[in-house]
Amino acid sequence: GAGVSQSPSNKVTEKGKDVELRCDPISGHTALYWYRQRLGQGLEFLIYFQGNSAPDKSGLPSDRFSAERTGESVSTLTIQRTQQEDSAVYLCASSLSVSRADTQYFGPGTRLTVL
Amino acid sequence: QKEVEQNSGPLSVPEGAIASLNCTYSDRVSQSFFWYRQYSGKSPELIMSIYSNGDKEDGRFTAQLNKASQYVSLLIRDSQPSDSATYLCAVSSGNTPLVFGKGTRLSVIA
């Protein structure tokens, strides 16, 4: 079956512009997670959604970052007024639920470059 | 603050040797433990999970868990150059997202 998909795969933008990154989770997965991974670094948790509950935004680094999810489907991560330090790979993952970590799978990521 | 600690490496082992990757975690109520493999430029993929004390074997991989010591490890037997990657330890406490370590970079030398 289809895995987690993300688009675009690569995004180059100029400093100060807004960007939107998209994630399509595995069908039936109620939990969806966003992570950031800077070059050579570990995974940095940003936000997660579980069903219709309020998202856990505790990892968002600043108010320039926001995310939305439509029901238990697509999610978009928006970064406003991008800065060079936002350059990273943004990874999305989904799982059947947050308590079913054994079903967590990652998408291929979006590589964001801010010039 | 829940923490998962790993030695960043690189850990270099010769081909055919046993690679031993270690991880400690801070949250005593942690229930589930996972190892992900991440090749350079790729996303992490789940390779092992373990839930109870002891060893769990899957092919050349063995995960070991010691909850009293808050320690989990991954052994790779007969290491191959294709095993060269970063290995991420992740810990779950139930109804909260996985907490990931920063990963250990493994290099298997042919």
Side-chain angles (χ1 to χ4, degrees), chain A residues 59-75:
Chain A
L60 294 178
S62 78
D63 58 9
R64 296 186 296 104
F65 288 73
S66 63
E68 292 184 348
R69 187 179 187 193
T70 307
E72 295 183 352
S73 184
V74 171
S75 176

Side-chain angles (χ1 to χ4, degrees), chain A residues 25-85:
Chain A
I26 293 171
S27 178
H29 280 197
T30 65
L32 185 148
Y33 316 84
W34 283 99
Y35 299 87
R36 178 170 70 179
Q37 189 170 37
R38 292 194 169 110
L39 188 63
Q41 303 298 308
L43 294 175
E44 180 183 1
F45 168 78
L46 297 177
I47 186 172
Y48 92 95
F49 299 85
Q50 170 59 67
N52 294 319
S53 301
D56 177 349
K57 304 179 182 180
S58 60
L60 294 178
S62 78
D63 58 9
R64 296 186 296 104
F65 288 73
S66 63
E68 292 184 348
R69 187 179 187 193
T70 307
E72 295 183 352
S73 184
V74 171
S75 176
T76 55
L77 177 69
T78 301
I79 308 173
Q80 295 178 311
R81 306 181 301 282
T82 51
Q83 304 295 311
Q84 288 182 333
E85 67 259 27

Side-chain angles (χ1 to χ4, degrees), chain B residues 1-109:
Chain B
Q1 182 81 357
K2 300 174 185 177
E3 294 183 344
V4 177
E5 301 286 342
Q6 296 182 256
N7 188 318
S8 62
L11 172 66
S12 294
V13 299
E15 183 175 359
I18 296 175
S20 178
L21 303 160
N22 305 314
C23 170
T24 59
Y25 58 95
S26 64
D27 188 359
R28 285 197 167 274
V29 301
S30 298
Q31 301 172 357
S32 309
F33 307 85
F34 305 90
W35 284 98
Y36 282 79
R37 177 176 62 201
Q38 186 174 26
Y39 291 115
S40 181
K42 302 295 185 182
S43 55
E45 58 176 324
L46 179 64
I47 58 171
M48 286 288 286
S49 59
I50 188 166
Y51 306 99
S52 54
N53 281 328
D55 294 0
K56 178 181 177 182
E57 187 175 316
D58 183 0
R60 295 187 295 113
F61 297 95
T62 298
Q64 298 177 318
L65 175 61
N66 183 327
K67 290 187 178 180
S69 301
Q70 295 176 237
Y71 178 91
V72 58
S73 64
L74 179 69
L75 301 178
I76 306 174
R77 289 183 301 282
D78 187 24
S79 296
Q80 301 298 308
S82 59
D83 295 325
S84 297
T86 297
Y87 290 80
L88 302 170
C89 175
V91 175
S92 170
S93 301
N95 287 321
T96 54
L98 284 174
V99 179
F100 284 86
K102 295 189 182 302
T104 298
R105 188 156 56 92
L106 172 67
S107 180
V108 180
I109 311 300

Side-chain angles (χ1 to χ4, degrees), chain A residues 6 9 18 20 24 29 33-34 41 48 54-55 58 62 83 88 95 102 104 114:
Chain A
Q6 293 186 246
S9 55
D18 297 352
E20 269 193 5
D24 277 277
H29 280 197
Y33 316 84
W34 283 99
Q41 303 298 308
Y48 92 95
S58 60
S62 78
Q83 304 295 311
S95 64
D102 59 313
Q104 181 165 331
V114 182

